[in-house]
Amino acid sequence: GKSTIFNIIVGLVKPNYGEVYINQKIVTNIPIYKRAIDFGLSIVPQTGGVFSNLTCLENLKAISEIVIEKKEERNFKIEKMISKFELDSVKNTKAKHLSGGQRKKVSIAMSLMSDPKIILMDEPFQGLDIMSTRDLQETIVNLQTEDNNRCCVISDHAARDLLAISDRAIILANKKIVAQGTPFELINNINAKNLYFGDAFKIN
């Protein structure tokens, strides 16, 4: 249900019951683009997230035309994202020909076009090699440190990779929060050990 929760928050799926709140305001019936623009919400989906037959540059242009009104600002933001994520060498390469790490960078760059305050990341470490994982960890930390008002909410089974960069974490089981706190508190929580980590789990 992780992806479903994220899709409900962003507006791709309507909940059967209950409400979605952002900044203490009900947004359940507000469309996706309004949540992005008015509430600073963005998502990096588990799979896809890019248009496979478009180049890196075309992907960024497609999103920028939705969220940025002025052409000059769009061009500036696109160039900034290409530089920020070191995509210049592949900016004219179709997304389907990029490596997993490069596609993830493009997807995150697309999510940043609207200057979001909340970024949902659904299993961002899935399918990445060790170097790409470390690169992505650094990227996520930088996203938060460069803007103190930005929050990255990440859902992933790669607990060690995730806890290494988290301020707070939550363990969900059977639709309930069974443990929460700092990474140190979490790995020493008896419920988290019994239901998820086991006794041998450690953070490097």
Side-chain angles (χ1 to χ4, degrees):
K2 300 183 287 49
S3 298
T4 301
I5 290 173
F6 276 11
N7 288 336
I8 287 173
I9 293 171
V10 82
L12 290 168
V13 175
K14 190 168 184 178
N16 294 328
Y17 58 89
E19 303 287 358
V20 179
Y21 288 80
I22 300 178
N23 292 335
Q24 300 180 329
K25 295 183 180 179
I26 296 177
V27 300
T28 313
N29 295 315
I30 293 177
I32 297 171
Y33 78 97
K34 291 285 285 182
R35 296 188 201 193
I37 295 173
D38 294 348
F39 293 90
L41 181 64
S42 191
I43 187 169
V44 179
Q46 177 180 349
T47 57
V50 296
F51 302 104
S52 296
N53 285 317
L54 296 184
T55 66
C56 167
L57 185 60
E58 289 168 342
N59 269 281
L60 293 173
K61 282 184 176 180
I63 299 302
S64 72
E65 289 174 358
I66 298 173
V67 298
I68 302 175
E69 184 177 348
K70 295 181 180 179
K71 184 177 180 180
E72 296 79 10
E73 291 181 14
R74 291 200 298 266
N75 292 337
F76 174 79
K77 193 63 176 288
I78 289 169
E79 288 303 318
K80 181 180 178 180
M81 290 298 107
I82 288 174
S83 175
K84 179 183 182 68
F85 291 100
E86 299 178 342
L87 294 168
D88 192 67
S89 63
V90 294
K91 68 179 182 181
N92 294 314
T93 301
K94 287 189 176 182
K96 63 184 177 183
H97 298 309
L98 299 175
S99 69
Q102 289 169 335
R103 280 196 300 273
K104 191 64 66 176
K105 283 184 176 182
V106 175
S107 183
I108 294 174
M110 292 166 68
S111 77
L112 289 172
M113 294 304 292
S114 60
D115 288 323
K117 295 302 179 185
I118 305 168
I119 304 176
L120 307 178
M121 295 187 177
D122 192 2
E123 296 205 31
F125 300 112
Q126 184 184 52
L128 299 184
D129 58 35
I130 294 174
M131 291 302 294
S132 295
T133 295
R134 289 177 180 172
D135 193 22
L136 180 57
Q137 286 176 315
E138 183 178 344
T139 296
I140 293 171
V141 170
N142 288 340
L143 287 178
Q144 295 177 100
T145 55
E146 70 189 14
D147 187 341
N148 291 329
N149 293 318
R150 178 178 291 146
C151 174
C152 293
V153 182
I154 307 168
S155 174
D156 207 298
H157 288 296
R160 188 170 283 104
D161 296 328
L162 186 53
L163 291 177
I165 58 169
S166 298
D167 298 314
R168 293 187 61 79
I170 294 171
I171 299 291
L172 293 171
N174 299 320
K175 305 176 185 179
K176 294 181 180 179
I177 295 175
V178 297
Q180 61 180 312
T182 66
F184 178 79
E185 291 169 341
L186 209 60
I187 63 175
N188 289 289
N189 182 287
I190 189 65
N191 290 329
K193 281 186 176 183
N194 291 338
L195 290 168
Y196 193 75
F197 295 121
D199 292 326
F201 182 87
K202 288 182 173 58
I203 303 176
N204 294 333

